[in-house]
Amino acid sequence: MANKFLIVVDMQNDFIDGALGTAEAQAIVPAVVERIRQAKEAGETVIATLDTHTPDYMNTPEGRKLPVPHCIRQTEGWQIRKQVQDAMGDALLVEKPTFGSIRLPEIVRGLADDPAAMTIELIGLCTDICVVSNTLLLKAHFPDAEIRVREACCAGVTPEKHAAALETMRSCQIDVL
């Protein structure tokens, strides 16, 4: 059981320097690795999400609105960045077919000692899509938990969207560190 969680969101090759990669995503990798190491040393529970699509992605509602094949299961782009995976070790991996994982709150609840006394920190990609989606899902499920996002360990699709997502989360009582 646990009360401190670090959620590593979609630190996958396609979001770092693959199909949807950005210079900002590449730049956060060392900070993400360091934060994971700190969490592991402190005994926090580390969980990672994986954006996961099938080869028919372009025929899905998301694929029609974001027509860039990415994170296709078992491809190099779907894999978590090696340095990040090495730091995470045997962290629990949660596949999700879209932006937010509806399973993530259930998994956290199952591992938590006391859901009202939890601290949940999120880091990863992309701030304005998957990080904000998972953060708000967790906040909705755990309104009394301390939920926070570490700004220097996140990157958005653009710097402007990153800033806007952080402001949205602040408005929803998420602590931005």
Side-chain angles (χ1 to χ4, degrees):
M1 298 300 253
N3 261 357
K4 290 191 174 192
F5 295 88
L6 178 66
I7 310 297
V8 181
V9 179
D10 298 356
M11 286 298 295
Q12 294 161 272
N13 291 320
D14 270 347
F15 291 125
I16 297 171
D17 58 7
L20 295 170
T22 65
E24 293 81 12
Q26 293 169 42
I28 70 164
V29 172
V32 167
V33 168
E34 181 57 29
R35 179 62 190 102
I36 293 167
R37 287 190 178 132
Q38 292 169 354
K40 298 279 279 184
E41 288 173 12
E44 296 175 32
T45 299
V46 178
I47 300 171
T49 67
L50 290 109
D51 196 49
T52 302
H53 301 293
T54 58
D56 70 339
Y57 170 78
M58 294 297 285
N59 296 321
T60 67
E62 180 182 322
R64 287 189 289 275
K65 291 183 179 179
L66 177 63
V68 180
H70 65 281
C71 297
I72 307 299
R73 182 183 277 117
Q74 302 304 324
T75 65
E76 180 65 26
W78 176 75
Q79 301 294 323
I80 294 174
R81 176 58 52 127
K82 183 176 180 353
Q83 303 97 303
V84 174
Q85 182 62 60
D86 289 348
M88 289 191 313
D90 62 351
L92 178 62
L93 303 178
V94 179
E95 290 185 14
K96 57 185 188 55
T98 190
F99 312 127
S101 171
I102 58 172
R103 290 184 51 232
L104 186 58
E106 170 189 323
I107 291 167
V108 170
R109 186 179 308 282
L111 295 172
D113 290 326
D114 179 1
M118 287 189 303
T119 300
I120 304 171
E121 182 177 317
L122 292 93
I123 61 176
L125 302 168
C126 294
T127 318
D128 50 312
I129 302 172
C130 296
V131 174
V132 70
S133 295
N134 285 289
T135 301
L136 295 178
L137 279 167
L138 289 162
K139 183 65 174 174
H141 281 267
F142 306 111
D144 296 326
E146 179 184 343
I147 300 180
R148 56 193 190 200
V149 172
R150 190 167 297 268
E151 181 175 0
C153 291
C154 293
V157 173
T158 66
E160 296 79 16
K161 289 187 178 212
H162 170 74
L166 293 172
E167 190 55 37
T168 294
M169 289 186 275
R170 284 185 187 100
S171 295
C172 294
Q173 302 175 355
I174 305 300
D175 295 321
V176 177
L177 306 175

